[in-house]
Amino acid sequence: MEYKLITADHFERVIEHLRRNFFADEPLNRAAGLCQHGGGNAELEHHSLTTLQDQLSIMAVDGRKDSNNYGEIAGVILNGVLRPGDTEQALEKLQESSDANYKKIFELLYGHSLQVDLFERYNVEQIFDVRILSVDARYRGQGIAKELVRRAEQVARNSGFQLLKADATGIFSQKILCSQGFQPFSEQLYAKYTNDAGEIILPVEAPHIKLQLLTKQLNKDTQ
Ligand code: ACO
């Protein structure tokens, strides 16, 4: 497996990978019924492309090449820069969205993030935000996600970040991030995320039970 920074010439193939894997498989997307396998989602694609433009994302590529001399994208980790005020602005913009399912997911994510000011808490001006971790179903269980997280941390270090953050939506991503030294900062049980009538807003399937915001601080001295 080769691990490479994702450059603009690969954006389209990365989006195609996400359509076939992350968009339908990620626990919140599944709960909201956001899209079918292989199907697109305009809002999520825009979110992914905006993140890719920060040039901090990595892909795992199968060394075996196809007839076009491309290796299959086995997995990706999409990371972006988070600055003070970004989440507030994103939540405000979300209100204009006409995609009710996308809105449900991101209201939870942004609302949860806004419960604490990580910039103040850790005294940082920018955060390395791990937004999307996705491995092709045919390549799962081989340690690719773990390696993507490990390499993302190297990119963060090399780019001078002092704090990494991730919103992990499922039990496996939570386990993977913890194995790489991330620590749970705050949690939201899906069963307790309800509307005014007491109904669960996102009926996430077991074994996933909670959203977890995790952080990892990088020591300045070891950079
Ligand atoms: N069942 C049991 N254990 C699992 C599973 C599973 N389905 N998936 C991962 N694990 C465990 C592995 O056993 C391994 O544990 P170990 O080190 O103790 O042996 C550990 O998690 C690491 O597994 P990897 O092989 O590195 O994970 P993989 O490459 O299979 O990718 C991922 C895991 C990214 C969660 C993949 O299943 C996927 O793409 N799922 C759909 C999208 C998704 O949910 N992404 C995460 C959302 S949160 C976010 O994006 C920030």
Side-chain angles (χ1 to χ4, degrees):
M1 202 57 63
E2 296 167 19
Y3 291 85
K4 306 176 185 174
L5 264 182
I6 302 173
T7 48
D9 46 330
H10 293 292
F11 287 2
E12 218 177 293
R13 292 179 63 233
V14 169
I15 296 295
E16 189 48 41
H17 159 90
L18 293 175
R19 283 191 196 123
R20 281 188 284 104
N21 297 282
F22 185 86
F23 287 6
D25 285 353
E26 184 277 330
L28 293 183
N29 293 356
R30 278 174 72 96
L34 195 67
C35 34
Q36 303 296 318
H37 269 118
N41 178 278
E43 304 260 16
L44 203 46
E45 286 174 28
H46 177 73
H47 175 73
S48 307
L49 278 170
T50 310
T51 300
L52 283 167
Q53 275 151 11
D54 284 342
Q55 308 270 6
L56 298 169
S57 301
I58 304 168
M59 59 184 177
V61 181
D62 192 331
R64 291 168 293 186
K65 305 273 193 272
D66 65 13
S67 53
N68 297 319
N69 210 25
Y70 279 132
E72 187 79 49
I73 296 183
V76 298
I77 187 162
L78 268 49
N79 313 302
V81 185
L82 193 67
R83 298 187 177 82
D86 282 356
T87 309
E88 287 85 343
Q89 229 176 57
L91 185 58
E92 213 176 293
K93 196 151 185 291
L94 189 64
Q95 304 318 312
E96 296 163 16
S97 169
S98 56
D99 185 334
N101 290 332
Y102 180 84
K103 233 170 151 172
K104 264 193 223 173
I105 295 169
F106 279 83
E107 269 171 359
L108 166 61
L109 295 176
Y110 293 154
H112 185 74
S113 277
L114 287 172
Q115 285 174 14
V116 62
D117 185 344
L118 290 175
F119 299 98
E120 194 184 65
R121 178 69 67 94
Y122 289 97
N123 192 24
V124 292
E125 283 165 13
Q126 55 175 12
I127 297 172
F128 186 94
D129 190 15
V130 176
R131 297 196 186 135
I132 290 185
L133 178 61
S134 167
V135 172
D136 186 311
R138 294 166 295 173
Y139 292 86
R140 288 180 191 160
Q142 301 174 25
I144 294 175
K146 239 184 198 179
E147 184 62 18
L148 284 165
V149 172
R150 201 181 70 76
R151 291 187 183 239
E153 181 183 326
Q154 286 175 353
V155 172
R157 280 183 192 281
N158 295 342
S159 309
F161 286 86
Q162 287 163 36
L163 185 71
L164 291 89
K165 171 233 156 198
D167 298 310
T169 54
I171 188 168
F172 304 122
S173 51
Q174 289 159 8
K175 181 179 167 192
I176 291 164
L177 288 157
C178 285
S179 79
Q180 298 306 302
F182 280 69
Q183 290 182 345
F185 184 89
S186 57
E187 298 180 345
Q188 170 68 56
L189 287 173
Y190 296 131
K192 294 209 169 155
Y193 186 62
T194 53
N195 62 18
D196 293 342
E199 296 155 343
I200 294 172
I201 297 173
L202 286 157
V204 179
E205 284 171 18
H208 313 295
I209 54 164
K210 62 190 175 191
L211 164 68
Q212 205 170 50
L213 190 162
L214 302 106
T215 57
K216 180 165 184 176
Q217 247 182 315
L218 301 180
N219 189 338
K220 263 186 194 167
D221 305 333
T222 60
Q223 287 195 3

